[in-house]
């Protein structure tokens, strides 16, 4: 699928230049539009209440993804997210993402790895 291919390319060709380009074109200046008509209804299944008092500090640390809604993005072996406060008031969290994609045997086997912050 398209997302699987794109994620594999990000993992294989990761560099500071690519990360800066993606940040500039997608996030900062919106030169490249990310699809908006995605069916995310599965996110709401089974959750009919919201947490009334959530403490963001409970996220600080390293978390491993064990389940997800999209097998092309959410279910890589040993995919982890890290959270840390970005300010002294402890009101904003920064998230780091690490994932690896299986490298086909014809490309040497093993994995391509990428880390995004």
């Amino acid at each position: 699928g398209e997302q699987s291919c794109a994620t594999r390319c990000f993992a294989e060709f990761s560099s500071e230049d690519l990360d800066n380009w993606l940040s500039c074109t997608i996030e900062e200046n919106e030169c490249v539009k990310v699809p908006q008509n995605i069916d995310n209804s599965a996110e709401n299944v089974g959750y009919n209440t919201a947490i009334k008092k959530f403490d963001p500090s409970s996220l600080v640390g390293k978390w491993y993804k064990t389940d997800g809604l999209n097998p092309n993005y959410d279910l890589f072996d040993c995919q982890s997210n890290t959270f840390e406060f970005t300010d002294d008031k402890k009101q904003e969290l920064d998230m780091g993402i690490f994932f690896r994609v299986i490298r086909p045997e014809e490309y040497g086997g093993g994995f391509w790895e990428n880390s995004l912050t």
Side-chain angles (χ1 to χ4, degrees), residues 3-33:
Q3 180 63 42
S4 180
C5 179
T7 304
R8 179 178 149 188
C9 286
F10 295 150
E12 180 178 2
F13 299 109
S14 175
S15 69
E16 186 174 341
D17 289 337
L18 176 60
D19 293 344
N20 289 339
W21 180 81
L22 290 171
S23 178
C24 176
T25 59
I26 296 174
E27 297 174 4
E28 296 166 15
N29 296 305
E30 298 182 11
C31 303
V32 177
K33 300 292 183 189

